[in-house]
Amino acid sequence: MANSPARRRPLVGLTPLIDVVFILLLFFMLASSFLDLHSIALDAPSRGGGQPTIEGALLVEVRRDGIRLGGQYVTPQGLARRVAARLEDNPDRRVLVRPAEGVSLQDTVSVLDRLTASGARNLSMLGDDGPR
C-alpha cells in the first residue's frame, strides 16, 4: 500500500450551483408581477328591478376621438376636475359612462379610474339598452 497512488478527493464544482440559482432568479423575476392592480366597483342592477332613473346624472362618453362630459369635449385632467366640482354639492350623484363602439377597454377603464379618483362613488355603465 505504500506504493499505491494517493487518492484524490473529487472536486465539487460551483458552476452547476450558480447556474441553478441564476435560473431560479430568472424564473421568479419573470413570474412576479410588480404592477399595482386594483379594481373599480360597478354596481350591476338586478334584471327584475325597475329601470333606474338617469335624471340629474352626469353623462361621460368615451369616444374614439376623445372624452365628452355633458356633450362637451374635455381632457382627462379636465374631466377629473369638472366631475369633482359637480360632485361637491352631491357626492352620491350618479355618473354614467357610455363607451362608444370601437373604443378599447383600456381607454374605458382609464376613464373609470379617473372618475373614481375624482370622488365618483355611484358609477354605472351605459349600453345600447340603457344602464348596466
Side-chain angles (χ1 to χ4, degrees):
M1 294 224 185
N3 292 341
S4 68
R7 289 189 83 167
R8 299 180 82 196
R9 286 184 56 187
L11 296 176
V12 176
L14 291 179
T15 305
L17 178 65
I18 292 172
D19 288 344
V20 169
V21 170
F22 183 73
I23 289 171
L24 285 173
L25 178 67
L26 279 176
F27 171 78
F28 285 112
M29 285 176 56
L30 295 174
S32 298
S33 177
F34 299 104
L35 297 176
D36 180 25
L37 300 176
H38 57 280
S39 63
I40 299 170
L42 289 175
D43 294 328
S46 63
R47 291 282 181 195
Q51 185 72 350
T53 179
I54 58 174
E55 285 185 32
L58 298 176
L59 176 62
V60 177
E61 296 175 273
V62 184
R63 303 170 62 139
R64 285 185 179 181
D65 57 349
I67 303 168
R68 288 175 36 160
L69 174 63
Q72 296 179 343
Y73 283 96
V74 294
T75 64
Q77 297 83 8
L79 173 70
R81 281 195 311 271
R82 287 187 183 184
V83 168
R86 292 186 183 179
L87 292 176
E88 281 182 0
D89 57 335
N90 184 6
D92 291 327
R93 189 173 190 180
R94 193 166 187 193
V95 180
L96 303 173
V97 179
R98 176 184 287 160
E101 188 174 327
V103 172
S104 72
L105 179 62
Q106 182 59 49
D107 291 341
T108 305
V109 170
S110 296
V111 168
L112 289 170
D113 195 27
R114 284 197 183 269
L115 290 171
T116 303
S118 67
R121 292 186 289 201
N122 193 358
L123 287 171
S124 294
M125 295 285 290
L126 272 180
D128 294 335
D129 56 347
R132 289 187 234 172

